Amino acid sequence: MNIRLIILTVLFAITLMIGLNSLTYSPVTARVKPVKADDGGKALFTTFCATCHMLPDPTSLTKDVWRLHVLPVMAARMGIIYPNYDPLRGLSDEEKIVVKKNNIIPDAPVLNLDEWNKLVAYVISLAPDSLIADDSRLTRNSPLKQFTRQDIQIDDQVPSLITGLEYNSETNTLWIGNFLNKVYNWKYNIGVTKTITTESPVVDFNFYKGSTYFTEIGKLYPTELSLGSYVSYKDSTSSVLLSALHRPVNSQLVDLNNDGDPEIIVCNFGNKTGGLSLFKKNKAGKYVETVLLPLAGAIKCYVKDMDGDGKKDIVAMFSQGDESVYIFYQKDNLKFKAQRVLRFPPNYGTTDMTLVDYNHDGLTDIITVHGDNADYSQVLKAYHGIRININQGNNVFKEQFFYPIYGVTRVLAEDFDKDGDIDFACSAFFPDFGKLVDESFVYLENTNQKKFTFKPYILKSEIPLKTLTLEKADIDGDGDIDIIAGNFAQSPGAVPKELDAKWKGAKYGITIFMNQLYQPKK
């Protein structure tokens, strides 16, 4: 399927330590007076905070989170630098040049200090002191019995740091990438059949005509340097097809124009900069890049004819700042027209999506996941969860259902119980690490498709799931679909010491949730 991990979340996961380490100071707005109706703060917030992304709700974060973490970052993007805060801290000289070139931080302030203080006062006046926890979540889950958990050791690496998983159904093998620049080819009941050393961590795999293709991220942690690559592997031989990619996290190898020669679509997640790119071979056999959208946070893409014209289109998700889903309609030979079909506030922490015809009406629906909690606002958010966006026709999507899960990061859509409707399996890299830590893996059984009714299940474990990757496959060949996760033991933020020790001491590399729907005959 593709959970191209880290795709993501390490992307987020780790993206933020730099930010967090640099946000300990006393902001100039700390003593702002209460806002008045005629101060103009609301108008300033509505105008300037919706320029780069969807307007966030001031009540969605606490006063402290706004004041100490989010507003200083917003201010820097408007050319206003808080005392003792360096927005370029940790960047190399080369990276600073990239930031400068792309005008990430304007040379001149967009607002004057008086206007900025009015904007801040408006936000702080509405923000709550704390966010209310939803205690009903403590009793909503049933024990998971349809799946049993198997933890499997892949190598001697402790802690395990799996960055990519992809199952090849033609060879019935699982491809595994890790942080230490290793790729493993693994087969159920046999184990590792091949070990490959790569230049950087592999976070995604493609399979095409007997070859396997690696998306190598370059540097896992946030950077403006383009160190990633796209590599072909066959018969123990590697060949670099693309280089100088900016933290690529997901790729597709597809013949978009049916000329017999596949194109490569790359999601360059990047950091402050990034984008979605299309690579096509020229007559000399070299790949030429076309940037379809120069927007940071490109994290997932699919190829599908979305308008029924017979041409292959691209559906892509962006998750860094301007969190959106776009459809790139192919109007002519590799000529695309972009249309944004979904957009979310930046604090939603968008991390994943999958395409499925949920209601069996012949139209493609989009399931989106929102739960990145490693950026500047590390608090439990009630609006984190899974959203079912139903296609109303003409690719107009409407959110029809929301299921809240703290810190959810990956989702799989499948009729896991073979009853004719779509169920969901999801993992949370940033759950409530207390009483709800076992919601790091949730199975949602669809009990009424039309009413969007789901029954949630969790599996209590001595060591809760800790993963950036999620894959589905009939891995044991018994006719039902199993779920595979790769253990990633590091955390970008604070976690309980006892829990952290369990994760880092775990000797398994992957966890398989074996579907018990079809039991072998005895």
Side-chain angles (χ1 to χ4, degrees):
M1 299 324 316
N2 44 329
I3 194 104
R4 319 183 199 229
L5 171 258
I6 177 184
I7 225 179
L8 155 131
T9 285
V10 120
L11 300 168
F12 315 10
I14 319 169
T15 290
L16 323 289
M17 294 308 292
I18 293 176
L20 291 175
N21 289 337
S22 60
L23 294 178
T24 54
Y25 52 84
S26 299
V28 297
T29 53
R31 298 180 182 277
V32 172
K33 297 179 180 180
V35 68
K36 297 180 180 179
D38 58 354
D39 274 348
K42 179 178 181 180
L44 291 165
F45 177 75
T46 303
T47 300
F48 290 95
C49 293
T51 301
C52 300
H53 49 67
M54 188 173 179
L55 190 70
D57 182 351
T59 67
S60 63
L61 297 172
T62 66
K63 294 183 189 299
D64 282 346
V65 168
W66 276 113
R67 185 183 290 117
L68 299 176
H69 301 297
V70 177
L71 287 170
V73 177
M74 290 172 53
R77 290 298 184 102
M78 295 184 186
I80 302 170
I81 308 302
Y82 275 37
N84 304 316
Y85 170 51
D86 180 6
L88 302 181
R89 178 183 175 184
L91 299 185
S92 65
D93 290 341
E94 187 177 357
E95 289 178 284
K96 290 178 182 179
I97 292 173
V98 175
V99 172
K100 174 72 173 179
K101 179 180 178 180
N102 288 274
N103 198 36
I104 301 300
I105 300 174
D107 291 330
V110 175
L111 299 175
N112 62 44
L113 190 58
D114 181 60
E115 291 171 325
W116 174 251
N117 283 339
K118 290 179 180 179
L119 185 156
V120 170
Y122 168 75
V123 172
I124 297 301
S125 71
L126 295 178
D129 291 323
S130 62
L131 299 178
I132 300 175
D134 182 3
D135 292 336
S136 67
R137 302 188 188 200
L138 299 174
T139 57
R140 67 179 177 177
N141 299 303
S142 298
L144 179 61
K145 296 181 180 180
Q146 185 180 330
F147 295 84
T148 60
R149 175 173 171 170
Q150 293 185 16
D151 295 324
I152 298 173
Q153 187 171 1
I154 298 298
D155 57 17
D156 295 329
Q157 172 63 31
V158 177
S160 174
L161 298 169
I162 303 300
T163 56
L165 287 181
E166 194 82 16
Y167 190 78
N168 188 335
S169 58
E170 292 185 1
T171 59
N172 294 321
T173 57
L174 181 69
W175 288 81
I176 306 167
N178 75 10
F179 179 72
L180 299 178
N181 304 345
K182 296 293 183 183
V183 165
Y184 303 98
N185 190 225
W186 181 89
K187 198 175 182 78
Y188 183 70
N189 276 341
I190 295 178
V192 174
T193 62
K194 186 177 297 185
T195 302
I196 305 158
T197 300
T198 58
E199 289 297 319
S200 69
V202 173
V203 295
D204 190 22
F205 299 90
N206 299 129
F207 311 112
Y208 190 86
K209 293 185 177 181
S211 294
T212 302
Y213 296 82
F214 305 157
T215 298
E216 300 187 19
I217 193 170
K219 187 176 180 182
L220 198 62
Y221 298 89
T223 180
E224 298 304 330
L225 302 181
S226 297
L227 305 173
S229 59
Y230 190 73
V231 178
S232 171
Y233 178 84
K234 187 175 183 179
D235 299 331
S236 300
T237 300
S238 298
S239 177
V240 178
L241 302 184
L242 304 175
S243 59
L245 301 176
H246 190 186
R247 291 181 78 214
V249 295
N250 179 222
S251 305
Q252 296 289 342
L253 183 67
V254 181
D255 185 359
L256 289 166
N257 57 356
N258 301 316
D259 67 350
D261 201 0
E263 287 72 43
I264 307 171
I265 309 163
V266 178
C267 292
N268 286 301
F269 188 94
N271 185 22
K272 293 178 174 63
T273 62
L276 181 73
S277 290
L278 171 68
F279 293 86
K280 169 66 178 175
K281 273 187 181 179
N282 61 16
K283 293 181 180 180
K286 295 185 178 180
Y287 283 97
V288 178
E289 179 181 14
T290 298
V291 178
L292 298 179
L293 186 62
L295 182 64
I299 192 170
K300 195 75 169 283
C301 68
Y302 293 94
V303 173
K304 189 177 182 65
D305 181 2
M306 293 296 291
D307 55 5
D309 66 352
K311 299 184 183 71
K312 296 171 184 173
D313 308 311
I314 302 169
V315 184
M317 169 178 275
F318 296 80
S319 61
Q320 184 89 321
D322 192 0
E323 303 187 1
S324 305
V325 175
Y326 284 81
I327 298 177
F328 296 83
Y329 295 102
Q330 188 172 187
K331 295 302 182 181
D332 200 357
N333 184 17
L334 300 184
K335 302 296 183 182
F336 294 86
K337 181 179 180 180
Q339 178 185 354
R340 179 162 49 203
V341 294
L342 289 170
R343 199 181 195 193
F344 310 99
N347 51 323
Y348 270 35
T350 300
T351 57
D352 196 16
M353 75 168 173
T354 190
L355 307 183
V356 65
D357 183 1
Y358 172 83
N359 53 4
H360 307 293
D361 64 354
L363 301 176
T364 299
D365 307 307
I366 302 177
I367 314 302
T368 58
V369 175
H370 314 267
D372 174 24
N373 212 22
D375 276 303
Y376 310 110
S377 56
Q378 293 187 344
V379 292
L380 296 177
K381 302 178 175 77
Y383 42 87
H384 274 178
I386 298 172
R387 289 172 168 82
I388 300 179
N389 306 284
I390 296 296
N391 195 332
Q392 308 296 303
N394 296 318
N395 292 324
V396 175
F397 296 89
K398 180 180 179 181
E399 181 185 318
Q400 297 284 63
F401 177 75
F402 167 69
Y403 188 83
I405 302 176
Y406 293 133
V408 63
T409 43
R410 308 252 78 84
V411 68
L412 300 174
E414 180 71 38
D415 185 5
F416 287 106
D417 55 8
K418 301 287 187 179
D419 66 351
D421 52 31
I422 299 297
D423 312 301
F424 297 102
C426 50
S427 59
F429 196 72
F430 306 99
D432 176 351
F433 293 119
K435 296 179 180 179
L436 287 172
V437 68
D438 288 302
E439 281 198 344
S440 57
F441 179 78
V442 179
Y443 173 61
L444 297 175
E445 178 192 1
N446 196 333
T447 58
N448 191 315
Q449 173 185 294
K450 292 183 179 180
K451 294 183 178 180
F452 297 93
T453 304
F454 294 85
K455 186 172 183 179
Y457 296 87
I458 60 173
L459 187 63
K460 290 186 176 297
S461 306
E462 175 64 22
I463 305 179
L465 191 68
K466 179 74 166 176
T467 186
L468 294 172
T469 54
L470 208 59
E471 175 66 303
K472 62 177 181 178
D474 182 6
I475 203 160
D476 56 356
D478 66 351
D480 52 30
I481 300 299
D482 311 301
I483 301 164
I484 312 106
N487 183 33
F488 192 93
Q490 295 290 358
S491 301
V495 298
K497 290 184 178 180
E498 182 179 350
L499 189 58
D500 189 50
K502 287 182 179 180
W503 278 328
K504 291 181 177 177
K507 295 183 179 181
Y508 54 85
I510 62 172
T511 293
I512 303 178
F513 293 92
M514 305 297 298
N515 198 333
Q516 303 299 298
L517 188 63
Y518 298 142
Q519 292 294 307
K521 295 181 180 179
K522 297 182 179 180

